Amino acid sequence: MSTPDGGTRPAPTDSGPRPSTPTTPTPKKDDPAMAQRIDVKDLNIYYGDFLAVEGVTMTIEPRSVTAFIGPSGCGKSTFLRTLNRMHEVIPGASVHGSVEMEGVDLYGADIDPVAVRRQIGMVFQRPNPFPTMSIEENVLAGVRLLNKKISKSDAADLVEASLASANLWNEVKDRLQKPGAGLSGGQQQRLCIARAIAVKPQVLLMDEPCSALDPISTLAIEDLITELKKDYTIVIVTHNMQQAARVSDRTGFFNIAGTGSPGKLIEMDDTGTMFSTPKEKATEDYISGRFG
Amino acid sequence: MTVLVSTAFGIALVPLVWLLWTVVGRGIGRLDPYFLLHSMRGVFGGMDAGGIYHAIIGTVWVTVGAAVISVPVGILAAIYLVEYGAGGRLARAVTFFVDVMTGIPSIVAGLFAYALFSLFLGPGAHFGAIGAVALSVLMIPVVVRSTEEMLKLVPNELREAAYALGVPKWLTVIKVVLRTAIAGITTGVMLAVSRVVGETAPLLLTVGVIDSINFNPFEGRMMTLPVYVYRQFTAGLVPCNNPNVTCIPTINYDRAWAAALTLILIVMILNLVARLVSRLFAPKIRS
Ligand SMILES: Nc1ncnc2c1ncn2[C@@H]1O[C@H](COP(=O)(O)OP(=O)(O)OP(=O)(O)O)[C@@H](O)[C@H]1O
Ligand SMILES: [Mg+2]
């Protein structure tokens, strides 16, 4: 498979500049079905007739963290949401091009978008736990909302494993029945991550997951991301260069020529290369803070 | 400024307190278990007897019937408007008709229900279900409107959170959107019920008047509380000529006030229930 974004063929698992933090092993890590490669080809993304993102072609490697950076309004969120077909829930929104996960076109005629979202989970910018549910029910939401049968002990195991993976178990294990909305913002965000991984997705998309959080909670979530990449393919949008440099293996830079014109993927490469010797002038300017 | 607001508040309160004072003052005297548990069968003149049992039965049947029709129709329509049809042509048409329905005079709703049933059963049909249909014409727009407002209050982020977990739209609507809005929807439904429980004119047309108990909403006339009040009040003073029989000249007025008081109590109880239910279902933030 080629990497048409112009970058060198990455070896993401060992090319990262920093060592991964040694932490307790996460559950379900030996499941071979987890973590998949995503290939995007010539993707044009529309809101009605407005072309928001144009001509994106990229490869997202499994078991690695891919970061998207770029100025506000360049279409990072829009692009991210096309990866799990969340884009089309917006009235009038449409997508042209192909997104393939392990060779299967996610936009194929016989593909159910609901099934895609079950495999590609998402964490949003603002923590959004279900306000009517307890902490435990929030974690189980993916199971319960689908009316799936689950035994009491399986449910308890799933809750513990998911919360432990999200580094939240120790903080909430004594108050699982308390409302999820009663947690702090950082805890709520980790609860949302636990909720997303409880449905055992293969890919996890995160749209500025730390932008509403304090530095400590941010650090907790960055550690978590580093740990989760052993099992998941992770894609993260961030405005924080240091964060992109810290957590990601590959970085994609999106830019926009001006208001009204579509956002484009300017350059994508290993994070180390992107931050030291980017090929494009625009990338260098953005990373060194000269605009955006 | 504070003085102005307080004065305005006080003035707004005057008619309410006055109304309650009058109704309680005049109605409490006759309001006792006997009054609640007896009908008007065989009661005449100034007899110290008679009650509203038959009217309570009728009001309960007709109102429950109206709610059974209006609540599903109203909630489903609101779900369509907010979750499915938003901005579409059909949704705009529905919104328009709901607005028009809101303005329908209640007597017209009564005539409509009467005419509707006449089509099938011939003229002259009077029974509880016709009244329920008439009241539901008045109730549906209120339920649609209040439910719509409540559904719009549910943050879009919760819908997206559910979609992102791979939950299909219809399950998201039922288990996230409705569940989150249920407290507000219940309050809206209860207010709609309170609104129609006091309707008189359409019931006079459709359900009619009777002095004895009828449990069957599909056959025979029924008495209802507002109509009872109306009937008693129009009966007026009783001329007491025979000194050998106990005769209360104002008995009809007394019964009217007591029935009015009962009606107010029923509305208050409904409101209390609505509050309890909404507290039970309200999203929990802190425990
Ligand atoms: N629901 C929508 N309807 C119409 N246009 C939209 C919608 N959401 C986003 N857009 C437009 O699409 C473009 C890309 O927006 P997007 O939210 O993807 O940017 P972003 O890169 O995520 O920005 P930020 O960094 O501020 O989050 C913008 O021009 C925006 O105005
Ligand atoms: Mg964004």
Side-chain angles (χ1 to χ4, degrees):
Chain A
M1 227 169 291
S2 65
T3 48
D5 52 79
T8 48
R9 187 63 202 261
T13 37
D14 46 28
S15 70
R18 83 242 91 66
S20 59
T21 29
T23 23
T24 48
T26 51
K28 343 172 278 282
K29 66 175 302 178
D30 41 23
D31 186 343
M34 298 258 174
Q36 314 255 314
R37 169 198 311 277
I38 296 177
D39 289 290
V40 180
K41 282 196 200 79
D42 299 321
L43 205 66
N44 289 340
I45 309 169
Y46 294 85
Y47 290 104
D49 343 317
F50 171 60
L51 177 59
V53 178
E54 186 180 23
V56 176
T57 297
M58 71 162 68
T59 298
I60 294 165
E61 296 292 336
R63 290 177 203 273
S64 70
V65 179
T66 304
F68 295 152
I69 57 172
S72 194
C74 66
K76 304 178 298 293
S77 303
T78 303
F79 175 70
L80 194 71
R81 289 166 59 94
T82 57
L83 296 181
N84 68 342
R85 298 194 65 170
M86 281 290 286
H87 179 65
E88 64 209 65
V89 306
I90 295 165
S94 62
V95 177
H96 300 273
S98 85
V99 178
E100 291 185 358
M101 186 161 80
E102 295 294 330
V104 179
D105 186 1
L106 297 183
Y107 283 86
D110 53 342
I111 301 287
D112 178 8
V114 173
V116 171
R117 290 177 208 137
R118 226 165 282 163
Q119 291 177 42
I120 307 184
M122 188 158 203
V123 176
F124 298 83
Q125 179 166 352
R126 284 210 289 164
N128 53 1
F130 296 116
T132 54
M133 299 184 190
S134 68
I135 293 172
E136 183 180 65
E137 287 165 341
N138 261 288
V139 177
L140 292 174
V143 179
R144 293 266 167 82
L145 290 180
L146 286 168
N147 293 327
K148 279 195 210 140
K149 293 268 176 297
I150 182 169
S151 74
K152 264 220 167 81
S153 64
D154 284 354
D157 289 347
L158 182 61
V159 168
E160 177 166 357
S162 308
L163 286 171
S165 305
N167 283 335
L168 189 61
W169 174 248
N170 286 326
E171 284 156 74
V172 300
K173 62 172 181 250
D174 302 320
R175 44 170 172 158
L176 293 174
Q177 308 309 326
K178 296 279 163 65
L183 296 171
S184 80
Q187 290 172 328
Q188 285 186 27
Q189 192 62 302
R190 278 179 282 153
L191 178 61
C192 293
I193 295 176
R195 178 177 70 185
I197 58 189
V199 295
K200 303 194 167 76
Q202 290 148 4
V203 179
L204 202 54
L205 310 176
M206 299 177 155
D207 191 355
E208 302 183 40
C210 304
S211 64
L213 306 183
D214 69 299
I216 308 243
S217 309
T218 302
L219 216 61
I221 290 187
E222 286 181 11
D223 285 348
L224 174 60
I225 291 171
T226 311
E227 196 171 317
L228 289 176
K229 81 170 181 186
K230 294 175 201 150
D231 304 305
Y232 302 91
T233 301
I234 293 179
V235 185
I236 177 173
V237 172
T238 177
H239 275 290
N240 182 331
M241 298 302 146
Q242 287 81 22
Q243 183 168 65
R246 277 194 301 264
V247 302
S248 74
D249 302 295
R250 306 244 307 146
T251 299
F253 171 61
F254 284 79
N255 203 356
I256 185 169
T259 41
S261 55
K264 287 182 178 156
L265 177 66
I266 302 297
E267 179 174 6
M268 185 163 180
D269 212 327
D270 289 352
T271 300
T273 318
M274 283 288 278
F275 279 86
S276 54
T277 52
K279 290 187 189 61
E280 301 289 333
K281 177 91 170 57
T283 315
E284 195 182 337
D285 287 350
Y286 183 75
I287 287 171
S288 56
R290 247 166 278 166
F291 82 97
Chain B
M1 189 60 201
T2 324
V3 178
L4 191 70
V5 174
S6 326
T7 318
F9 179 70
I11 292 174
L13 223 56
V14 167
L16 178 69
V17 173
W18 196 348
L19 183 147
L20 278 179
W21 181 255
T22 317
V23 177
V24 172
R26 301 203 184 193
I28 197 85
R30 268 216 95 71
L31 189 60
D32 55 19
Y34 178 91
F35 185 70
L36 293 177
L37 294 175
H38 287 80
S39 72
M40 292 296 286
R41 197 184 175 113
V43 177
F44 58 88
M47 267 172 81
D48 183 10
I52 54 171
Y53 185 57
H54 59 315
I56 293 179
I57 302 290
T59 284
V60 167
W61 267 122
V62 171
T63 313
V64 167
V68 164
I69 300 170
S70 317
V71 171
V73 171
I75 290 182
L76 288 176
I79 288 177
Y80 175 77
L81 289 179
V82 177
E83 305 293 331
Y84 290 91
R89 189 177 293 173
L90 183 56
R92 280 205 303 269
V94 172
T95 308
F96 175 75
F97 284 114
V98 166
D99 283 346
V100 171
M101 271 175 87
T102 315
I104 290 181
S106 58
I107 186 81
V108 177
L111 278 172
F112 162 75
Y114 180 79
L116 181 72
F117 277 80
S118 303
L119 278 183
F120 301 108
L121 305 174
H126 289 279
F127 52 90
I130 310 179
V133 169
L135 292 192
S136 69
V137 171
L138 300 171
M139 210 175 145
I140 286 173
V142 183
V143 175
V144 173
R145 267 295 138 100
S146 59
T147 308
E148 203 184 341
E149 293 311 315
M150 289 305 141
L151 294 181
K152 281 184 186 157
L153 283 182
V154 176
N156 212 23
E157 291 151 24
L158 297 184
R159 296 182 182 88
E160 298 215 322
Y163 296 152
L165 291 170
V167 180
K169 183 162 186 170
W170 67 277
L171 275 176
T172 303
V173 168
I174 295 171
K175 300 185 96 175
V176 175
V177 179
L178 276 187
R179 176 64 190 80
T180 308
I182 192 75
I185 294 175
T186 320
T187 313
V189 167
M190 288 298 185
L191 289 178
V193 169
S194 318
R195 178 72 196 72
V196 297
V197 80
E199 280 297 344
T200 317
L203 297 186
L204 201 54
L205 279 184
T206 54
V207 188
V209 170
I210 197 174
D211 281 340
S212 52
I213 299 165
N214 174 12
F215 279 103
N216 186 351
F218 296 102
E219 205 194 330
R221 294 158 195 260
M222 291 178 119
M223 190 50 115
T224 48
L225 276 170
V227 175
Y228 179 94
V229 173
Y230 169 75
R231 285 275 291 185
Q232 291 297 313
F233 204 84
T234 46
L237 284 173
V238 183
C240 289
N241 301 327
N242 188 343
N244 300 327
V245 190
T246 47
C247 175
I248 307 171
T250 60
I251 183 77
N252 291 328
Y253 289 139
D254 294 347
R255 288 198 203 103
W257 283 110
L261 178 58
T262 315
L263 197 54
I264 290 182
L265 287 176
I266 289 178
V267 170
M268 274 170 69
I269 290 171
L270 279 176
N271 276 306
L272 281 180
V273 171
R275 273 163 186 269
L276 272 180
V277 170
S278 61
R279 183 159 316 166
L280 209 65
F281 284 117
K284 314 168 189 80
I285 302 300
R286 304 264 167 195
S287 48

